[in-house]
C-alpha cells in the first residue's frame, strides 16, 4: 500500500508516526515544503520574547527521526497538483527545481493553514511580517532588534501574546483590531475588559474598532499604518488577522466549507474515500452546535492526525468532536474558555443563558487568595452546558478542561452544582467554583433540581 502525506507539522507528524507503527509494510512518503517538521507555533511568542532560549526545544520530531521509522521524507518539496481520479501527485523539489510524479493508494492531507494577508495597500513593504512558522519567528526576532515602535494587527490570541512579548522587551506597542475589543472570539466582554485595562496600564496602545487602510514606507520599509481613525508611526508590523486553510489542491475534488476547510467524517475521511485529512486544513465537528466549524488548533491537529492514521484502512476509532478549548497566560492573568461564549452564540443565532460567579480561589485564611471569575453558558431549555470561561491571577485554567468534558458528555448546569470535586485549602474552597456556578443557576431558577440518576 502506498500512502502519501502532504504536510508534516502537527497533524502530519502525528499521522506519520502512527502509520509507521500501524502499517509497517506500507510505503509511506511525506511531502513537506518546509525544511523542518513539528514546529510548535505555540512557543513562537515565548521565543520572540526571549523566554525560550533554545529554539530546538520548539520541535518534538525531525525529518531524520521520521526517516528512521522507515518513512521516505521529501523535504522542501511543494505539492502542486493532485489528480484524485488517477491518484497521482505532482511536486517540485524546491532546492533543485526537479519535478516529481508519484502515485498513492491512500492520501493523507495535512497541509494546515496560512495566515490571512488582506489586500491592503502597501502590504508588500519590508518589516510587515507574518507569525506562523520557525523561519518567520526568526525574522521577527531579527527585525525587532532595530524596531522601537511595533504594531500588531489582529487581537486574537497570537496578537495579544506578541503584544506581551514586545512590551516586555521594552518596545512601544500598538494593537489594532477592527472588532470593538480584544480576544472577542474566545472570551466575553467582562473578561476581555480586565485584560484591556491591564494592557493600558502598561502603556500598550489599543486601537480597537479600527481597520487598517494603508501602509506607507520609507525606502521600501514600513513607516506608517493608516486606519479609519488615525495614522501611526511604526518600525515593524506583525499581521495576525486569522488563518485560511491550505486546501487549493483539493478544491472541487472533496467537500469543503465555504472558507475552504475540508469536511471529514468522524473517521477523518473526506468525501473521497481514499483521501483522509486532519488538522488546520479541516473543519472540526463542534459539539456545542453539533455542526462543522473552522477552529485551527494544535490540539485538534494532533488528535485528528492520530485518528486519520488509525482509521486509514478501516473505521476503527471515532473522533468525539471538539469544544475548541483554549487557554492563555497574558502578563499576570490566566484565562481559558471552552465551547460557546455569549458573543459567539449571538453570532450563531443560538439562544443561551449564562451564570457568572466571582469567588476567591482558596480560603481567606491562606496567605494569598486570588479572585476567580467563571461564566457558564447553557441552553436554557435543556439546561445543558454549552460553554465556559474563566479568568484569574491564580492558575485555575484546568477547570476549563473539566468544563470541556461537561459539554462533551452533555451535562446539565444542575448536575454541575453537585458534582464531586476535591477540596484542599492550597487549591480551592469546600464548594468548588464550578459547583457554585451550578448553585447560582439553581438559585435563579429554584424549581430546577438535578436529575437523580
Ligand atoms: C503563533 C501561533 C501560536 C499558536 N498557539 C497555539 C496554542 O497555544 N495552542 C494550540 O492548540 N494551537 C496553537 N496554534 C495553532 C497551531 O499551531 C495550529 O493549529 C497547528 O500548527 C496546526 O497544525 P497542522 O499540522 O494542521 O498545520 P500546519 O501547522 O499549518 O502545518 C501544515 C504543513 O503543511 C505544509 N504544506 C502545506 N501545503 C503544502 C504543499 N502543497 N506541499 C508540501 N507541504 C505543504 C506546510 O509547510 C506545513 O508544514 C498557534 C499557531 C500560531 C501561528
Amino acid at each position: 500500500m502506498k500512502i502519501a502525506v502532504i504536510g508534516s507539522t502537527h497533524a502530519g507528524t502525528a499521522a506519520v508516526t502512527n502509520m509507521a507503527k500501524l502499517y509497517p509494510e506500507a510505503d509511506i512518503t511525506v511531502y513537506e515544503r518546509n525544511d523542518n517538521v513539528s514546529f510548535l507555533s505555540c512557543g513562537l511568542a515565548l521565543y520572540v520574547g526571549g523566554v525560550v532560549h533554545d529554539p530546538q526545544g520548539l520541535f518534538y520530531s525531525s525529518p531524520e527521526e521520521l526517516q528512521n521509522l522507515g518513512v521516505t521524507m521529501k523535504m522542501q518539496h511543494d505539492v502542486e497538483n493532485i489528480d484524485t481520479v488517477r491518484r497521482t501527485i505532482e511536486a517540485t523539489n524546491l532546492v533543485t527545481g526537479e519535478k516529481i510524479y508519484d502515485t498513492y493508494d491512500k492520501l493523507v492531507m495535512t497541509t494546515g493553514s496560512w495566515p490571512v494577508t488582506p489586500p491592503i495597500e502597501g502590504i508588500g513593504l519590508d518589516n510587515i511580517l507574518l507569525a506562523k512558522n520557525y523561519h518567520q519567528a526568526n525574522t521577527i526576532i531579527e527585525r525587532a532588534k532595530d524596531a522601537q515602535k511595533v504594531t500588531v494587527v489582529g487581537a486574537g490570541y497570537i496578537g495579544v501574546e506578541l503584544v506581551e512579548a514586545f512590551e516586555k522587551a521594552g518596545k512601544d506597542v500598538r494593537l489594532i483590531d477592527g472588532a470593538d475589543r480584544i480576544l472577542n472570539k474566545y472570551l466575553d466582554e467582562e473578561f476581555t475588559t480586565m485584560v484591556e485595562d491591564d494592557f493600558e496600564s502598561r502603556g500598550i496602545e489599543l486601537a480597537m474598532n479600527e481597520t487598517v487602510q494603508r501602509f506607507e514606507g520609507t525606502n521600501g520599509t514600513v513607516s506608517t499604518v493608516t486606519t479609519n481613525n488615525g495614522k501611526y508611526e511604526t518600525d515593524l508590523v506583525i499581521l495576525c488577522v486569522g488563518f485560511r486553510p491550505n486546501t487549493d489542491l483539493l478544491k472541487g475534488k472533496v467537500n469543503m466549507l465555504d472558507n475552504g476547510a475540508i469536511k471529514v467524517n468522524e473517521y477523518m475521511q473526506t468525501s473521497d474515500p481514499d483521501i483522509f485529512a486532519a488538522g488546520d486544513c479541516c473543519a472540526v465537528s463542534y459539539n456545542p452546535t453539533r455542526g462543522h466549524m473552522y477552529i485551527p488548533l494544535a490540539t485538534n491537529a494532533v488528535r485528528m492526525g492520530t485518528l486519520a492514521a488509525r482509521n486509514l484502512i478501516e473505521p476503527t476509532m471515532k473522533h468525539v468532536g471538539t469544544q475548541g478549548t483554549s487557554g492563555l497566560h497574558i502578563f499576570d492573568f490566566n484565562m481559558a474558555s471552552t465551547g460557546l461564549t455569549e458573543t459567539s452564540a449571538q453570532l450563531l443565532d443560538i439562544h443561551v443563558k449564562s451564570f457568572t460567579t466571582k469567588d476567591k480561589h482558596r480560603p481567606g485564611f491562606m496567605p494569598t487568595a486570588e479572585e476567580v471569575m467563571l461564566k457558564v453558558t447553557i441552553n436554557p431549555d435543556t439546561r445543558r452546558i454549552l460553554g465556559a470561561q474563566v479568568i484569574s491571577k491564580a492558575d485555575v485554567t484546568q477547570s476549563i478542561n473539566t468544563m470541556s468534558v461537561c459539554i462533551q458528555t452533555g451535562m446539565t448546569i444542575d448536575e454541575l452544582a453537585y458534582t464531586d470535586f476535591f477540596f484542599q485549602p492550597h487549591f480551592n474552597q469546600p464548594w468548588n467554583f464550578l459547583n457554585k456556578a451550578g448553585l447560582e443557576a439553581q438559585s435563579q431558577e429554584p424549581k430546577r433540581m438535578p436529575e437523580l440518576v
Side-chain angles (χ1 to χ4, degrees), residues 301-370:
V302 291
R303 285 194 290 263
M304 294 171 86
T306 304
L307 287 172
R310 297 197 65 168
N311 294 316
L312 196 69
I313 310 302
E314 55 176 348
T316 308
M317 177 74 81
K318 281 188 183 180
H319 188 22
V320 292
T322 177
Q323 285 70 247
T325 310
S326 64
L328 261 183
H329 173 83
I330 301 291
F331 292 115
D332 298 334
F333 284 111
N334 303 294
M335 62 207 100
S337 68
T338 184
L340 292 177
T341 61
E342 279 198 56
T343 312
S344 61
Q346 213 169 10
L347 285 172
L348 293 164
D349 208 15
I350 296 173
H351 180 47
V352 293
K353 181 163 184 167
S354 297
F355 303 95
T356 302
T357 56
K358 287 184 186 170
D359 197 6
K360 293 287 181 197
H361 86 289
R362 56 190 184 186
F365 63 74
M366 293 298 285
T368 60
E370 300 290 351

Side-chain angles (χ1 to χ4, degrees), residues 81 143 146 181 185 226 314 353 361 402:
N81 193 30
R143 302 295 174 84
D146 299 322
R181 59 190 181 82
K185 289 204 181 104
T226 303
E314 55 176 348
K353 181 163 184 167
H361 86 289
T402 306

Side-chain angles (χ1 to χ4, degrees), residues 31-51:
Y31 292 89
E32 170 53 63
R33 63 158 73 115
N34 219 324
D35 59 3
N36 58 65
V37 303
S38 80
F39 175 63
L40 285 160
S41 310
C42 51
L44 188 144
L46 295 168
Y47 180 39
V48 166
V51 179

